[in-house]
Amino acid sequence: MKTVSCARCGKLYEYNGISDYCPICMQYDEAIFQKIKEYLNEHPKATVIQVATDLDIPVKMIKKYLREGRLEIVEAENFFLNCEKCGAPIKTGRYCDKCARDFDSGVKRITNEAATNIHNRKYSEKMRYLDKSKVK
Ligand SMILES: [Zn+2]
Ligand SMILES: [Zn+2]
C-alpha cells in the first residue's frame, strides 16, 4: 500500500489504485456525480455552466467527470473539452473520434495478437486433452 495525498483535500490516505481521492472525498465525488446525473435527467440539455450554477458545483469538477467519460455533452454547441491529441472539440473522454479510432486500431492490433496467443494456447490445451484420453 502506497500512501499518497488526496487530490482534493490533500489528506494522506492509502492509495487503492482506483481513485486520486481519499475515501471521504471519493464519497463526496460520487455524491456530486449522482446529483449531476439526477439534474441531467430532469434537464437533459443543460449546459455545463447551467449545471455548475444550479448545483453550485465547480466547473472543474464537471469537466473531470467529462474527462473520465462518465458524463457526455449532448448538444454540439456545448463542446467543452478538447482532444488531448489534436485539440478538436469533443463531447466526452479525452480524445476526438478520429484520434480514438487511431488509438483503437493500435489497441486492436495488440488485442488481435493476444487473441492469437489465446487461440494457440487453447489449441495446445486441446492437444493435451486428446493425448490424455488416448492414454485412458
Ligand atoms: Zn480527500
Ligand atoms: Zn483528436
Side-chain angles (χ1 to χ4, degrees):
M1 272 288 192
K2 202 171 73 173
T3 306
V4 295
S5 63
C6 169
R8 191 175 153 266
C9 70
K11 215 178 71 186
L12 291 175
Y13 72 103
E14 287 192 344
Y15 187 60
N16 55 8
I18 301 165
S19 176
D20 292 337
Y21 289 166
C22 71
I24 294 156
C25 291
M26 227 172 97
Q27 260 178 33
Y28 173 80
D29 193 63
E30 195 53 42
I32 297 284
F33 181 71
Q34 290 305 324
K35 248 169 95 176
I36 297 175
K37 227 171 84 178
E38 276 166 30
Y39 183 87
L40 289 178
N41 278 339
E42 283 167 41
H43 312 84
K45 283 177 180 173
T47 63
V48 172
I49 303 299
Q50 214 179 315
V51 176
T53 315
D54 280 8
L55 296 181
D56 199 19
I57 295 166
V59 168
K60 216 177 87 188
M61 267 191 97
I62 300 172
K63 212 165 165 175
K64 188 177 91 69
Y65 295 127
L66 288 164
R67 280 273 180 231
E68 288 171 354
R70 293 167 81 184
L71 291 176
E72 186 186 34
I73 302 220
V74 189
E75 296 281 274
E77 55 270 29
N78 283 357
F79 278 135
F80 191 70
L81 298 169
N82 293 96
C83 171
E84 284 185 6
K85 219 172 145 195
C86 72
I90 51 170
K91 290 179 182 181
T92 185
R94 297 172 62 191
Y95 302 106
C96 68
D97 285 350
K98 194 193 149 288
C99 292
R101 256 204 308 279
D102 288 354
F103 183 69
D104 260 6
S105 57
V107 171
K108 252 176 222 137
R109 257 204 313 280
I110 298 164
T111 315
N112 278 343
E113 272 169 34
T116 312
N117 286 339
I118 289 164
H119 180 77
N120 286 344
R121 206 178 62 217
K122 263 190 193 154
Y123 188 66
S124 65
E125 271 166 11
K126 204 169 172 188
M127 294 290 284
R128 267 204 304 276
Y129 174 71
L130 284 175
D131 282 348
K132 250 191 236 167
S133 62
K134 227 190 268 173
V135 171
K136 259 183 198 169

